[in-house]
Structures are given as C-alpha cells and as structure tokens.
Amino acid sequence: MYSDWSSLTVQLQTLGTATQSVLAKLPQEDGKQVVASVVHTVAANLGITVPAEARPSPLQTEQEVNWCMEVICHGLCLPLEDHMVIRDCVNIYCEWLSALLPNPKLCVPKPVLEDPNHYARKIITHFNHLFVPRKGEAQETIHRQAVVCHRVLRRVQELAQQSQIMERDTWDTLLSFL
C-alpha cells in the first residue's frame, strides 16, 4: 500500500522547479507588474463580490489559458505584501476549479470546461506555492496567507465532496496536495 510513497517524496521535492514561471527570470518588480495586470483583468470577470457581474472568460484557446496559468502560478509565489494580487490569483483558480462541479461558474474558460481534470491537476499543483512559508513576513501578512489558504482548502473539500467527474489522476494530485 505504501510502496509508492518514496517516489512521491521526490516528486514533491522537485515541485518548485517544475512549476516555476518564466516570469521568475525577470526582475521581481517586472514579474509582479505582469501578474498584477493579468490577474486584475481576469479577476474582473469572476463576479465574486457581485455575482450578476460575472462574465464569460475571454480566454478561448488552450494556449491562452496555459499562458495565464503560468502568470497566475508566478503570482502565487509573490511576497505576501502583494496579498491583493495573490488573492486574485486564488480567486481565479478557485472559480476555474468549479469546472469539476455539477454547475461550473460562467467565468470558467472554454478549454478548462472541455478538459477540467487536466486543468484541475495543474491548478492544484500550482496551489502548493501558496502554502510555502515566506521569510520575514509580519504577523498580519501571515494571517492574510492563512485566509487565502483556507479558501483553497474549502474549494478542495467541495471538489472532493461534490465532483462527479473527477478522474483517478486528479484524485491522486488532490491527495498529494493535502
């Protein structure tokens, strides 16, 4: 039963380099500006505070979604002082994960709706960055990190309880995340 665990340890240790965005190669401020601009635009379609303002995603191709996901992944690695940007990244991904639920949100991009398990595995893997402790952060910013981590855990719990289309590989990714 536990024979696969040793390979899982290696997989988790190499996670950081495997999901690192090209934005990490730019000066930190430049990467942050790209993330802030992109996630602000995408988050505007979510309708989180006013559900009537939710709009369909402008992302129509796999290439567009994958590019945005690379940007969002980088956003999850930002210092906690950029908590508003991190919060938008979390909100986007949590809404997109609704593709695995019986009634997906209007804002979920078409490619995510068409292959929800594939994108859910990538999103859940990216969420690992959110849970990494940041050095030298004030107590207030650590509290903000806990709030967004709690949102992710609630969404993951909802997926585990309500998804009727989650594949085995997605379950494995979800369990590895936990």
Side-chain angles (χ1 to χ4, degrees):
M1 176 175 174
Y2 303 110
S3 62
D4 294 334
W5 282 28
S6 61
S7 62
L8 182 61
T9 302
V10 173
Q11 179 185 358
L12 293 174
Q13 289 171 341
T14 60
L15 178 68
T17 57
T19 60
Q20 189 171 16
S21 168
V22 70
L23 293 174
K25 298 180 187 294
L26 301 176
Q28 185 176 2
E29 191 59 33
D30 293 347
K32 179 180 122 179
Q33 288 176 358
V34 170
V35 171
S37 179
V38 171
V39 300
H40 176 74
T41 301
V42 175
N45 292 329
L46 300 179
I48 287 185
T49 54
V50 183
E53 292 181 7
R55 294 185 296 266
S57 174
L59 307 174
Q60 296 297 313
T61 67
E62 287 182 38
Q63 188 176 27
E64 293 168 351
V65 171
N66 288 332
W67 183 83
C68 282
M69 289 181 74
E70 186 171 332
V71 171
I72 294 167
C73 180
H74 184 73
L76 294 172
C77 300
L78 291 174
L80 293 174
E81 65 192 29
D82 301 314
H83 67 276
M84 298 297 280
V85 176
I86 295 170
R87 184 201 64 201
D88 283 346
C89 293
V90 168
N91 286 339
I92 292 165
Y93 269 179
C94 283
E95 296 303 290
W96 288 7
L97 283 172
S98 74
L100 284 173
L101 297 173
N103 297 308
K105 304 285 180 131
L106 177 65
C107 60
V108 180
K110 181 181 172 192
V112 178
L113 290 170
E114 291 172 350
D115 194 0
N117 280 282
H118 168 73
Y119 287 100
R121 288 190 294 272
K122 289 176 71 170
I123 289 169
I124 292 167
T125 301
H126 288 179
F127 272 149
N128 281 291
H129 295 292
L130 182 64
F131 289 80
V132 173
R134 274 52 165 205
K135 294 181 181 177
E137 296 288 351
Q139 190 65 32
E140 181 181 330
T141 53
I142 292 172
H143 174 72
R144 289 182 180 141
Q145 180 182 20
V147 169
V148 291
C149 288
H150 186 253
R151 168 137 165 70
V152 168
L153 292 172
R154 281 194 330 259
R155 176 57 90 183
V156 168
Q157 179 184 25
E158 183 180 15
L159 294 175
Q161 292 173 340
Q162 296 180 21
S163 179
Q164 299 169 359
I165 61 171
M166 193 180 303
E167 298 170 353
R168 179 179 169 86
D169 287 346
T170 308
W171 271 108
D172 290 345
T173 301
L174 186 137
L175 292 173
S176 294
F177 170 73
L178 296 174

